[in-house]
Amino acid sequence: MTDPLASWNDGVAKQAILDFVAQVTTPDSPSFVPPRDRIAVFDNDGTLWVEQPLYVQAFFVFDRIKQMAPQHPEWQTQEPFASVLKGDLKAALSAGEPALVEMVMATHAGMTTDEFAAIAKDWLATANHPTLRRPYTELVYQPMLELLAYLQANDFKTFIVSGGGVEFMRACTEQIYGIPPEQVIGSSNKTQYELRDGKPVILRLPELYFFNDKAGKPAAIQHYIGRRPIAAFGNSDGDLQMLQWTTAGSGASLGMIVRHTDGDREFAYDQGGISSLEQALIDAEQEGWIVVDMKRDWKQIFSL
Protein backbone atom coordinates (compact mmCIF):
# COMPACT_ATOMS: atom_id res chain seq x y z
CA MET A 1 0.00 0.00 0.00
CA THR A 2 1.13 3.54 -0.73
CA ASP A 3 2.18 5.51 2.34
CA PRO A 4 -0.30 8.43 2.64
CA LEU A 5 2.28 10.42 4.63
CA ALA A 6 5.32 9.65 2.50
CA SER A 7 7.14 12.90 3.41
CA TRP A 8 6.88 12.18 7.14
CA ASN A 9 9.61 10.26 8.90
CA ASP A 10 8.44 7.37 11.05
CA GLY A 11 8.01 8.60 14.59
CA VAL A 12 5.57 9.78 17.24
CA ALA A 13 3.96 12.53 15.13
CA LYS A 14 3.28 10.38 12.07
CA GLN A 15 2.03 7.45 14.14
CA ALA A 16 -0.28 9.72 16.15
CA ILE A 17 -1.95 10.88 12.93
CA LEU A 18 -2.33 7.34 11.57
CA ASP A 19 -3.67 6.02 14.89
CA PHE A 20 -6.13 8.88 15.31
CA VAL A 21 -7.56 8.53 11.82
CA ALA A 22 -7.90 4.77 12.28
CA GLN A 23 -9.68 5.24 15.62
CA VAL A 24 -12.26 7.73 14.40
CA THR A 25 -12.99 6.07 11.04
CA THR A 26 -13.26 2.40 12.04
CA PRO A 27 -16.98 1.65 12.51
CA ASP A 28 -16.56 -0.80 15.44
CA SER A 29 -14.05 1.44 17.23
CA PRO A 30 -15.20 2.96 20.55
CA SER A 31 -13.79 6.27 19.25
CA PHE A 32 -15.67 6.13 15.92
CA VAL A 33 -16.83 9.54 14.68
CA PRO A 34 -19.48 9.82 11.93
CA PRO A 35 -18.29 11.66 8.80
CA ARG A 36 -20.55 14.66 9.52
CA ASP A 37 -18.53 15.34 12.69
CA ARG A 38 -15.07 14.82 11.21
CA ILE A 39 -14.02 18.44 11.24
CA ALA A 40 -10.33 19.40 11.07
CA VAL A 41 -9.10 22.99 11.32
CA PHE A 42 -5.76 24.34 10.19
CA ASP A 43 -3.98 27.60 10.78
CA ASN A 44 -2.40 28.85 7.53
CA ASP A 45 0.69 31.02 8.08
CA GLY A 46 3.49 28.87 9.49
CA THR A 47 1.29 25.77 9.56
CA LEU A 48 0.50 25.20 5.89
CA TRP A 49 2.92 27.60 4.22
CA VAL A 50 5.89 29.81 5.03
CA GLU A 51 5.48 32.85 7.31
CA GLN A 52 9.04 34.15 7.67
CA PRO A 53 10.50 36.74 7.52
CA LEU A 54 6.97 38.20 7.26
CA TYR A 55 3.51 36.92 6.49
CA VAL A 56 2.93 36.42 2.76
CA GLN A 57 0.06 38.90 2.88
CA ALA A 58 2.39 41.55 4.34
CA PHE A 59 4.55 41.37 1.21
CA PHE A 60 1.37 41.71 -0.84
CA VAL A 61 0.50 44.84 1.17
CA PHE A 62 3.95 46.36 0.59
CA ASP A 63 3.76 45.75 -3.15
CA ARG A 64 0.28 47.27 -3.25
CA ILE A 65 1.58 50.41 -1.49
CA LYS A 66 4.31 50.82 -4.10
CA GLN A 67 1.83 50.24 -6.90
CA MET A 68 -0.71 52.71 -5.49
CA ALA A 69 1.82 55.39 -4.44
CA PRO A 70 1.37 57.58 -7.57
CA GLN A 71 -2.28 58.08 -6.57
CA HIS A 72 -1.29 58.94 -2.99
CA PRO A 73 1.49 61.57 -2.98
CA GLU A 74 0.87 62.10 0.75
CA TRP A 75 2.37 58.66 1.41
CA GLN A 76 5.84 60.03 0.63
CA THR A 77 5.88 61.62 4.08
CA GLN A 78 3.11 59.77 5.89
CA GLU A 79 4.06 56.79 8.06
CA PRO A 80 4.03 53.84 7.85
CA PHE A 81 3.72 54.26 4.08
CA ALA A 82 6.82 56.44 3.73
CA SER A 83 9.03 53.75 5.25
CA VAL A 84 7.64 51.13 2.86
CA LEU A 85 8.39 53.36 -0.11
CA LYS A 86 11.95 53.82 1.20
CA GLY A 87 12.35 50.05 1.53
CA ASP A 88 12.60 50.17 5.32
CA LEU A 89 10.07 47.49 6.21
CA LYS A 90 11.30 47.18 9.79
CA ALA A 91 10.49 50.84 10.41
CA ALA A 92 7.14 50.46 8.67
CA LEU A 93 6.17 47.72 11.14
CA SER A 94 7.72 49.34 14.21
CA ALA A 95 4.30 50.48 15.42
CA GLY A 96 3.12 46.88 15.45
CA GLU A 97 -0.31 45.58 14.57
CA PRO A 98 -2.01 49.02 14.26
CA ALA A 99 0.43 49.99 11.48
CA LEU A 100 -0.19 46.76 9.60
CA VAL A 101 -3.96 47.15 9.91
CA GLU A 102 -3.69 50.72 8.62
CA MET A 103 -1.75 49.56 5.57
CA VAL A 104 -4.19 46.69 4.94
CA MET A 105 -7.16 49.03 5.08
CA ALA A 106 -5.51 51.48 2.69
CA THR A 107 -4.58 48.82 0.13
CA HIS A 108 -7.41 46.28 0.40
CA ALA A 109 -10.49 48.51 0.42
CA GLY A 110 -12.36 50.77 -2.01
CA MET A 111 -12.89 48.00 -4.55
CA THR A 112 -15.29 45.16 -5.10
CA THR A 113 -14.64 41.67 -3.82
CA ASP A 114 -14.24 40.47 -7.41
CA GLU A 115 -11.71 43.20 -8.17
CA PHE A 116 -9.71 42.36 -5.04
CA ALA A 117 -9.73 38.64 -5.84
CA ALA A 118 -8.33 39.34 -9.31
CA ILE A 119 -5.55 41.54 -7.88
CA ALA A 120 -4.61 38.93 -5.27
CA LYS A 121 -4.57 36.09 -7.81
CA ASP A 122 -2.41 38.09 -10.21
CA TRP A 123 0.08 38.89 -7.45
CA LEU A 124 0.25 35.31 -6.21
CA ALA A 125 0.90 34.12 -9.76
CA THR A 126 4.07 36.21 -10.07
CA ALA A 127 5.45 37.13 -6.62
CA ASN A 128 8.51 35.37 -5.20
CA HIS A 129 9.78 34.96 -1.64
CA PRO A 130 12.62 37.45 -0.92
CA THR A 131 15.15 34.84 0.28
CA LEU A 132 13.88 31.43 -0.82
CA ARG A 133 13.47 32.77 -4.37
CA ARG A 134 10.43 30.68 -5.17
CA PRO A 135 6.77 31.60 -5.76
CA TYR A 136 4.82 31.73 -2.51
CA THR A 137 2.39 29.18 -3.90
CA GLU A 138 5.29 26.68 -4.01
CA LEU A 139 6.30 27.36 -0.41
CA VAL A 140 3.59 25.09 0.92
CA TYR A 141 4.68 22.31 3.26
CA GLN A 142 4.55 19.00 1.41
CA PRO A 143 3.94 16.95 4.59
CA MET A 144 0.91 19.12 5.37
CA LEU A 145 -0.43 18.72 1.84
CA GLU A 146 -0.24 14.97 2.37
CA LEU A 147 -1.98 15.30 5.72
CA LEU A 148 -4.80 17.34 4.18
CA ALA A 149 -5.25 14.81 1.38
CA TYR A 150 -5.19 11.93 3.87
CA LEU A 151 -7.88 13.51 6.03
CA GLN A 152 -10.02 14.44 3.05
CA ALA A 153 -9.76 10.85 1.73
CA ASN A 154 -11.10 9.70 5.11
CA ASP A 155 -14.18 11.93 4.94
CA PHE A 156 -12.85 14.80 7.02
CA LYS A 157 -14.05 18.28 6.16
CA THR A 158 -10.96 20.49 6.32
CA PHE A 159 -11.13 24.18 7.18
CA ILE A 160 -8.53 26.94 7.28
CA VAL A 161 -8.91 29.12 10.38
CA SER A 162 -6.30 31.86 10.13
CA GLY A 163 -5.53 35.41 11.15
CA GLY A 164 -4.83 36.21 7.50
CA GLY A 165 -7.29 38.09 5.33
CA VAL A 166 -10.08 35.75 4.27
CA GLU A 167 -10.40 37.13 0.72
CA PHE A 168 -6.63 37.03 0.21
CA MET A 169 -6.47 33.39 1.25
CA ARG A 170 -9.49 32.44 -0.83
CA ALA A 171 -7.58 33.58 -3.91
CA CYS A 172 -5.35 30.48 -3.66
CA THR A 173 -6.56 27.93 -1.07
CA GLU A 174 -8.53 25.77 -3.48
CA GLN A 175 -5.65 25.70 -5.94
CA ILE A 176 -2.91 24.79 -3.47
CA TYR A 177 -4.74 22.97 -0.64
CA GLY A 178 -7.93 21.66 -2.20
CA ILE A 179 -9.91 23.71 0.33
CA PRO A 180 -12.81 25.66 -1.24
CA PRO A 181 -13.55 29.30 -0.34
CA GLU A 182 -16.52 28.45 1.87
CA GLN A 183 -14.19 26.46 4.14
CA VAL A 184 -11.81 29.38 4.75
CA ILE A 185 -12.25 31.50 7.89
CA GLY A 186 -10.07 34.56 8.34
CA SER A 187 -9.88 38.22 9.26
CA SER A 188 -12.14 40.42 7.18
CA ASN A 189 -13.05 43.94 6.17
CA LYS A 190 -16.55 45.27 6.46
CA THR A 191 -18.41 45.03 3.17
CA GLN A 192 -21.38 46.73 1.57
CA TYR A 193 -23.82 45.72 -1.14
CA GLU A 194 -24.51 48.29 -3.83
CA LEU A 195 -25.45 48.66 -7.48
CA ARG A 196 -22.88 49.86 -10.00
CA ASP A 197 -24.27 50.64 -13.43
CA GLY A 198 -27.27 48.54 -12.52
CA LYS A 199 -25.15 45.53 -11.50
CA PRO A 200 -24.89 44.27 -7.91
CA VAL A 201 -21.44 44.26 -6.30
CA ILE A 202 -19.98 43.75 -2.83
CA LEU A 203 -17.73 46.69 -1.91
CA ARG A 204 -14.83 46.28 0.50
CA LEU A 205 -14.82 49.09 3.11
CA PRO A 206 -11.73 50.47 4.92
CA GLU A 207 -12.92 49.13 8.29
CA LEU A 208 -11.99 45.94 10.11
CA TYR A 209 -14.97 43.62 10.61
CA PHE A 210 -13.30 40.76 12.46
CA PHE A 211 -9.75 39.84 13.47
CA ASN A 212 -9.51 36.05 13.50
CA ASP A 213 -6.72 35.28 15.94
CA LYS A 214 -6.25 33.82 19.42
CA ALA A 215 -9.61 33.73 21.26
CA GLY A 216 -11.30 34.86 18.06
CA LYS A 217 -10.56 31.52 16.40
CA PRO A 218 -12.82 29.25 18.48
CA ALA A 219 -15.53 31.92 18.42
CA ALA A 220 -15.30 32.02 14.62
CA ILE A 221 -15.33 28.22 14.41
CA GLN A 222 -18.59 28.13 16.37
CA HIS A 223 -20.06 30.99 14.34
CA TYR A 224 -19.16 29.72 10.87
CA ILE A 225 -18.92 25.93 11.29
CA GLY A 226 -21.26 25.22 14.19
CA ARG A 227 -19.49 22.00 15.17
CA ARG A 228 -16.54 21.51 17.49
CA PRO A 229 -13.56 20.20 15.45
CA ILE A 230 -11.96 16.90 16.40
CA ALA A 231 -8.53 17.84 15.00
CA ALA A 232 -6.63 21.14 15.07
CA PHE A 233 -3.24 22.08 13.65
CA GLY A 234 -1.33 25.26 14.45
CA ASN A 235 2.18 26.60 15.01
CA SER A 236 2.03 29.51 17.44
CA ASP A 237 0.39 30.97 20.52
CA GLY A 238 -2.14 32.53 18.17
CA ASP A 239 -3.53 29.00 17.75
CA LEU A 240 -3.62 28.18 21.46
CA GLN A 241 -7.32 28.76 22.03
CA MET A 242 -8.26 26.87 18.86
CA LEU A 243 -6.28 23.87 20.11
CA GLN A 244 -7.84 24.15 23.55
CA TRP A 245 -11.37 24.31 22.16
CA THR A 246 -10.83 21.39 19.80
CA THR A 247 -9.34 19.02 22.34
CA ALA A 248 -11.83 19.89 25.11
CA GLY A 249 -14.54 17.83 23.44
CA SER A 250 -15.86 14.63 24.99
CA GLY A 251 -14.73 12.27 22.23
CA ALA A 252 -11.47 11.48 20.47
CA SER A 253 -9.45 14.49 19.36
CA LEU A 254 -6.03 15.43 18.02
CA GLY A 255 -4.08 18.60 18.68
CA MET A 256 -0.86 19.16 16.77
CA ILE A 257 1.71 21.97 16.68
CA VAL A 258 4.19 22.48 13.85
CA ARG A 259 7.47 23.65 15.38
CA HIS A 260 9.97 25.41 13.10
CA THR A 261 13.34 23.84 13.90
CA ASP A 262 15.00 23.58 10.48
CA GLY A 263 17.11 26.63 9.72
CA ASP A 264 18.73 24.93 6.75
CA ARG A 265 15.68 23.92 4.76
CA GLU A 266 13.32 26.63 6.04
CA PHE A 267 13.58 28.77 9.19
CA ALA A 268 14.24 28.01 12.86
CA TYR A 269 12.28 30.06 15.39
CA ASP A 270 10.00 29.89 18.41
CA GLN A 271 10.01 33.37 19.88
CA GLY A 272 10.19 36.94 18.67
CA GLY A 273 9.36 38.42 15.32
CA ILE A 274 5.89 37.96 13.93
CA SER A 275 5.16 34.57 15.49
CA SER A 276 5.75 33.27 18.99
CA LEU A 277 5.43 29.72 20.31
CA GLU A 278 5.72 29.78 24.08
CA GLN A 279 2.50 29.08 26.01
CA ALA A 280 1.14 26.65 23.43
CA LEU A 281 4.37 24.64 23.71
CA ILE A 282 3.97 24.46 27.49
CA ASP A 283 0.32 23.46 27.18
CA ALA A 284 1.16 20.82 24.56
CA GLU A 285 2.95 18.71 27.18
CA GLN A 286 0.12 19.10 29.67
CA GLU A 287 -2.69 18.46 27.16
CA GLY A 288 -1.06 15.68 25.17
CA TRP A 289 -0.83 17.66 21.94
CA ILE A 290 1.70 16.37 19.43
CA VAL A 291 4.63 18.67 18.58
CA VAL A 292 5.93 18.19 15.05
CA ASP A 293 9.65 18.91 14.88
CA MET A 294 10.18 19.92 11.24
CA LYS A 295 13.85 18.95 11.21
CA ARG A 296 13.23 15.55 12.79
CA ASP A 297 9.80 14.60 11.47
CA TRP A 298 9.76 15.79 7.86
CA LYS A 299 11.77 14.16 5.07
CA GLN A 300 11.17 17.23 2.93
CA ILE A 301 9.75 20.66 3.61
CA PHE A 302 8.47 21.91 0.27
CA SER A 303 7.39 20.14 -2.89
CA LEU A 304 10.31 19.40 -5.21
Side-chain angles (χ1 to χ4, degrees):
M1 295 179 63
T2 302
D3 184 352
L5 303 177
S7 294
W8 294 69
N9 287 314
D10 293 336
V12 172
K14 180 177 181 176
Q15 195 60 49
I17 295 168
L18 296 173
D19 290 346
F20 172 74
V21 172
Q23 289 167 10
V24 300
T25 60
T26 303
D28 60 355
S29 165
S31 300
F32 176 74
V33 176
R36 68 175 181 273
D37 292 322
R38 293 178 200 166
I39 304 294
V41 291
F42 290 77
D43 171 55
N44 187 42
D45 297 302
T47 301
L48 294 178
W49 73 356
V50 69
E51 69 174 357
Q52 293 287 345
L54 293 170
Y55 299 125
V56 174
Q57 191 171 358
F59 288 111
F60 172 67
V61 168
F62 298 149
D63 283 352
R64 286 282 294 154
I65 289 173
K66 296 170 186 175
Q67 184 181 37
M68 296 171 64
Q71 287 77 49
H72 295 274
E74 71 279 9
W75 286 355
Q76 297 295 330
T77 56
Q78 178 185 339
E79 294 293 354
F81 306 96
S83 291
V84 173
L85 296 176
K86 294 173 186 174
D88 190 347
L89 304 185
K90 184 177 180 180
L93 294 171
S94 60
E97 185 179 300
L100 184 57
V101 170
E102 181 181 3
M103 290 185 283
V104 168
M105 292 302 107
T107 57
H108 289 39
M111 68 194 79
T112 69
T113 50
D114 288 342
E115 289 168 342
F116 179 80
I119 292 169
K121 286 179 181 178
D122 287 346
W123 184 84
L124 285 162
T126 59
N128 288 320
H129 190 276
T131 59
L132 298 177
R133 308 299 180 190
R134 293 179 65 178
Y136 292 106
T137 51
E138 293 182 5
L139 297 178
V140 177
Y141 304 133
Q142 178 64 24
M144 298 304 284
L145 289 178
E146 294 170 358
L147 174 57
L148 282 168
Y150 180 51
L151 293 176
Q152 291 161 359
N154 281 277
D155 296 322
F156 277 77
K157 198 169 187 179
T158 52
F159 289 81
I160 289 178
V161 182
S162 172
V166 64
E167 299 293 350
F168 179 77
M169 292 187 291
R170 285 173 175 168
C172 65
T173 57
E174 193 157 27
Q175 170 197 347
I176 60 179
Y177 304 133
I179 297 179
E182 64 270 21
Q183 289 168 219
V184 179
I185 301 170
S187 302
S188 56
N189 286 52
K190 290 183 179 180
T191 56
Q192 175 179 295
Y193 172 88
E194 63 179 47
L195 293 174
R196 284 190 177 182
D197 299 322
K199 295 181 179 181
V201 298
I202 304 295
L203 185 67
R204 291 173 57 84
L205 303 177
E207 298 177 63
L208 184 65
Y209 174 68
F210 177 67
F211 184 47
N212 188 48
D213 198 30
K214 299 180 180 178
K217 288 192 173 187
I221 288 169
Q222 180 61 29
H223 182 80
Y224 291 103
I225 302 176
R227 295 182 190 271
R228 191 195 299 261
I230 63 170
F233 305 87
N235 78 295
S236 74
D237 286 347
D239 305 309
L240 173 62
Q241 291 86 349
M242 180 172 74
L243 286 156
Q244 290 172 333
W245 173 246
T246 297
T247 57
S250 57
S253 63
L254 177 67
M256 187 166 283
I257 294 172
V258 175
R259 188 176 186 183
H260 294 260
T261 57
D262 199 324
D264 295 324
R265 295 184 297 174
E266 199 237 13
F267 301 96
Y269 60 96
D270 274 346
Q271 301 176 18
I274 61 170
S275 183
S276 180
L277 176 60
E278 298 181 69
Q279 189 59 50
L281 201 57
I282 296 171
D283 284 21
E285 185 173 353
Q286 300 171 348
E287 301 294 336
W289 302 335
I290 304 301
V291 177
V292 177
D293 183 307
M294 292 175 69
K295 188 172 185 178
R296 178 194 64 208
D297 292 320
W298 288 357
K299 294 178 183 176
Q300 67 183 77
I301 304 293
F302 306 117
S303 300
L304 298 178

